Amino acid sequence: MTIGDMIQTLRIQKSLTQETLAEKLEVSRQSVSKWELGQAVPDVDKIIRMSELFGVSTDKLLMRDTKDEQPGKPALHFASTILIVSDFERSLDFYRSLFQLKITSPLRSGDKYVEFYIDSKCIALMSEELMESESITDKNGSRIILNFWAEDLNAEYERIRDLDIGSISEIKDTYPHYHYFHLTDPDNNIIEITGGYHMSVEICQSCGMKMQAEDLGKNADGSANHEYCKYCYPDGKFSSEVTMDDMIEHNLKFLDMFNKEAGTNMTPDQARAGMRESFPELKRWKK
């Protein structure tokens, strides 16, 4: 695990956004983003302040934690929770597969209650038959939304998808840079899993578009250009001379399409503000 991965993991554990952490450390959100992406390393004073804020030692931030690599260490991390389930046996099979752990405490109340322990925290499944009154549910029948985090969101997505134990969404990218996917359990509870996400696609250093192989621009000799897309850099030069603000306003024309594909609901003002923060880091606009 890198320093950036550790910062992101501890930030998510504390339910902090990049903006909130930046405010507490008196730095820009871009600085936090660079740390987490491994593009920069925080100064010593910032590491000390983060260790105090996260409640960990500076060694935890600076050194690789080999305990996280021990065989059998679960990929998911969460706070203690109790789930009220209607089909106890079905839910038990579901969570056994999801956590890939054996039950670590004996069944209690017959076969209607069981506990799993991860990171010294407990998640318990309790049959609704043990409840003295009717369980409260929302109109969709969902009892609770569980929020987990994983150090490698891509790997965790592939692992759970291969298990084929429930409906799973695609990984979604929401503003500002929050990546997650949803899994539903047999009782229609929503499990939201977030964490460290590294895009396998390249980003156009002019318009910020995510590029697949077919989207790459071309150099003057016809070879692929991996820095700019085919719209911005079609034949060894930029297709038009524009300012950064011109490019941002051009991108806003496609906001509805972006929101639909990403599952977001950004307003033009939110998208514009986000691009004005991120675009100065792109090669074409970097001063």
Side-chain angles (χ1 to χ4, degrees):
M1 180 184 291
T2 65
I3 295 175
D5 293 334
M6 182 61 72
I7 292 173
Q8 183 182 63
T9 295
L10 294 172
R11 174 178 63 78
I12 292 172
Q13 279 185 282
K14 291 292 184 179
S15 301
L16 298 174
T17 64
Q18 288 185 338
E19 287 83 356
T20 303
L21 178 58
E23 290 176 3
K24 292 181 180 293
L25 298 176
E26 298 179 329
V27 298
S28 67
R29 186 204 62 79
Q30 292 174 338
S31 294
V32 175
S33 178
K34 287 182 179 180
W35 297 342
E36 294 185 356
L37 292 173
Q39 297 174 351
V41 177
D43 294 334
V44 173
D45 65 315
K46 303 305 180 188
I47 291 175
I48 294 174
R49 290 182 66 180
M50 279 190 284
S51 72
E52 296 172 347
L53 176 64
F54 296 144
V56 299
S57 67
T58 54
D59 283 348
K60 181 74 172 179
L61 286 168
L62 293 171
M63 299 175 63
R64 189 174 183 130
D65 189 351
T66 56
K67 291 187 296 183
D68 291 340
E69 299 177 355
Q70 292 178 0
K73 184 74 173 179
L76 297 179
H77 308 270
F78 61 100
S80 299
T81 307
I82 296 178
L83 296 179
I84 309 303
V85 300
S86 57
D87 188 330
F88 185 83
E89 291 299 327
R90 187 180 175 197
S91 294
L92 181 57
D93 287 342
F94 173 89
Y95 282 100
R96 275 174 170 163
S97 296
L98 175 62
F99 297 145
Q100 296 186 342
L101 291 175
K102 295 181 179 179
I103 299 170
T104 52
S105 69
L107 294 174
R108 297 205 301 248
S109 300
D111 58 352
K112 305 302 181 184
Y113 182 94
V114 67
E115 295 176 345
F116 296 92
Y117 281 87
I118 300 179
D119 292 342
S120 300
K121 297 182 177 66
C122 168
I123 181 167
L125 304 183
M126 178 188 292
S127 172
E128 63 183 6
E129 296 175 18
L130 299 182
M131 300 294 289
E132 294 181 358
S133 59
E134 184 177 354
S135 301
I136 298 175
T137 62
D138 63 19
K139 62 182 180 181
N140 296 318
S142 177
R143 314 295 180 93
I144 192 169
I145 296 178
L146 295 175
N147 182 235
F148 296 78
W149 62 270
E151 293 172 3
D152 187 332
L153 191 64
N154 305 70
E156 188 62 11
Y157 179 79
E158 292 178 5
R159 181 184 77 84
I160 293 179
R161 182 188 59 190
D162 291 344
L163 289 175
D164 193 24
I165 55 175
S167 176
I168 185 172
S169 73
E170 295 297 323
I171 294 178
K172 297 183 178 181
D173 178 5
T174 61
Y175 179 85
H177 313 300
Y178 180 83
H179 301 90
Y180 71 94
F181 64 90
H182 281 167
L183 174 71
T184 54
D185 77 359
D187 279 286
N188 203 35
N189 295 311
I190 296 173
I191 301 170
E192 182 167 296
I193 301 176
T194 185
Y197 178 69
H198 303 285
M199 292 180 292
S200 59
V201 297
E202 297 172 277
I203 301 297
C204 175
Q205 296 298 300
S206 172
C207 68
M209 182 182 85
K210 298 177 183 179
M211 300 186 297
Q212 302 291 345
E214 62 271 19
D215 301 316
L216 298 177
K218 288 188 177 181
N219 298 313
D221 61 1
S223 61
N225 185 292
H226 290 263
E227 292 183 323
Y228 301 109
C229 72
K230 61 185 179 182
Y231 304 108
C232 294
Y233 205 79
D235 53 8
K237 61 182 179 180
F238 291 116
S239 57
S240 60
E241 292 300 323
V242 295
T243 66
M244 187 181 77
D245 285 338
D246 290 337
M247 183 63 73
I248 289 173
E249 294 305 315
H250 173 75
N251 282 1
L252 288 175
K253 297 177 182 178
F254 305 97
L255 180 58
D256 288 343
M257 181 187 303
F258 174 84
N259 279 334
K260 182 177 180 180
E261 292 178 352
T264 58
N265 190 31
M266 278 195 291
T267 66
D269 286 343
Q270 288 175 324
R272 185 180 291 109
M275 285 188 283
R276 283 178 177 169
E277 282 194 13
S278 61
F279 269 41
E281 298 302 314
L282 299 178
K283 182 176 179 178
R284 187 177 184 183
W285 314 115
K286 189 175 292 186
K287 295 180 180 180

